[in-house]
Amino acid sequence: MNNKRKAIFAGVACILGLMLAIQFQTTNNPITRDTRDTWELRADLEKEKQRQQDLNNEIKKYQDLLDDYEQSRKKEKTEAMEKALNDLKEAAGLTEVSGQGILITIEPFNEGEAPKLYPELIRRLINELNRYEAKDISVDGQRIISTTPIREVNGETYINNQPLGSFPIEIKVLSDDAQKLQNKIIASQSAEDFVRENLYIDSKPQNQLTLPAYDKPIRVKYMKQAKEEL
């Protein structure tokens, strides 16, 4: 791209130099009596007009090339910004993601009255999954992000302001090493906590899992819009 730009500037410089040379020559030559007839003068005038038009066309061509170069730079910058934005959205959980991981199923340990799945149990499990380098998590179809509320409302557990469904509850977790993550969950404190609440955790590695995007409004505090750099 640098070589192309140098070639463009060199071409423009040559054309401008030629125009200045012609003007200098015209200015310094002594004025002599023109003995050409009218037809010869008209022919020479047409040639001069054509030459001037050719020069204008060349200048426009190189100017267009320069404009295209500048536009391509803007396009590259725009594409880079769009890629960065998409990467940020993916990291924030705002896009659907797929990959290998583990599928965790939570269900009652014993038959009979269904136990209660408290918000604190889910929060502890999510914290452990993050500590074991989980990449992305969804619980009962709700994508978990850093601001996801998990709380109890009127005796029910809500995630992202949506009530949990009935058992079994599925938790999808993406990980670069699904088998390692499963082994850690089996021996985790969360597994013991669920057993004490009459709940059983079953986890299985999966080659392909798809997690939904977080689709709720994100409220951001302590931030303001920055001025755009020109």
Side-chain angles (χ1 to χ4, degrees):
M1 184 62 74
N2 288 335
N3 291 335
K4 179 180 178 181
R5 190 175 186 183
K6 289 179 180 178
I8 293 172
F9 281 123
V12 174
C14 289
I15 292 172
L16 293 177
L18 178 61
M19 294 176 66
L20 289 174
I22 293 173
Q23 183 178 3
F24 179 80
Q25 183 179 4
T26 302
T27 303
N28 288 276
N29 284 341
I31 300 176
T32 59
R33 182 179 180 182
D34 200 335
T35 59
R36 293 173 295 176
D37 59 26
T38 303
W39 290 107
E40 288 177 332
L41 288 173
R42 288 180 178 177
D44 289 342
L45 181 60
E46 289 300 322
K47 289 180 181 179
E48 182 63 23
K49 287 182 178 180
Q50 186 60 48
R51 188 180 66 83
Q52 185 64 44
Q53 183 62 42
D54 291 342
L55 285 174
N56 291 339
N57 289 340
E58 285 294 309
I59 291 173
K60 185 178 185 306
K61 181 179 73 173
Y62 282 105
Q63 183 61 55
D64 290 343
L65 288 173
L66 282 173
D67 292 342
D68 289 343
Y69 172 75
E70 292 297 330
Q71 190 63 34
S72 67
R73 289 183 61 192
K74 292 179 181 179
K75 182 180 179 181
E76 290 173 0
K77 185 176 180 180
T78 300
E79 290 175 349
M81 292 176 64
E82 288 177 349
K83 183 181 184 304
L85 178 60
N86 291 333
D87 290 343
L88 287 173
K89 285 184 176 181
E90 183 175 343
L94 304 182
T95 60
E96 182 181 277
V97 290
S98 299
Q100 67 170 338
I102 62 173
L103 177 63
I104 299 174
T105 304
I106 302 174
E107 52 189 340
F109 196 89
N110 297 314
E111 295 182 0
E113 183 178 353
K116 191 172 183 179
L117 182 53
Y118 293 98
E120 185 61 28
L121 286 175
I122 299 176
R123 283 195 291 265
R124 288 178 186 173
L125 177 58
I126 291 173
N127 288 338
E128 284 202 290
L129 288 169
N130 288 326
R131 191 161 61 248
Y132 299 148
E133 299 181 353
K135 294 171 60 179
D136 300 283
I137 304 171
S138 70
V139 178
D140 196 31
Q142 293 295 321
R143 184 70 173 273
I144 304 299
I145 64 173
S146 59
T147 58
T148 290
I150 303 175
R151 54 176 176 250
E152 185 174 339
V153 179
N154 296 327
E156 291 188 67
T157 297
Y158 279 66
I159 298 179
N160 290 335
N161 298 321
Q162 296 293 321
L164 282 180
S166 57
F167 291 107
I169 302 295
E170 287 189 345
I171 300 178
K172 297 179 180 180
V173 187
L174 298 189
S175 172
D176 291 330
D177 192 336
Q179 188 61 58
K180 180 179 178 181
L181 179 60
Q182 184 199 26
N183 293 337
K184 286 184 175 293
I185 288 299
I186 291 175
S188 68
Q189 181 62 46
S190 288
E192 297 181 13
D193 293 340
F194 276 82
V195 170
R196 282 197 293 270
E197 297 296 333
N198 194 28
L199 291 167
Y200 173 70
I201 289 182
D202 181 44
S203 59
K204 295 179 180 178
Q206 303 287 321
N207 292 328
Q208 187 74 7
L209 287 171
T210 299
L211 279 61
Y214 180 85
D215 59 357
K216 304 295 187 297
I218 297 180
R219 295 178 176 82
V220 181
K221 297 181 179 179
Y222 314 116
M223 293 181 67
K224 61 181 180 180
Q225 184 176 0
K227 294 183 178 179
E228 183 178 359
E229 295 182 1
L230 299 178

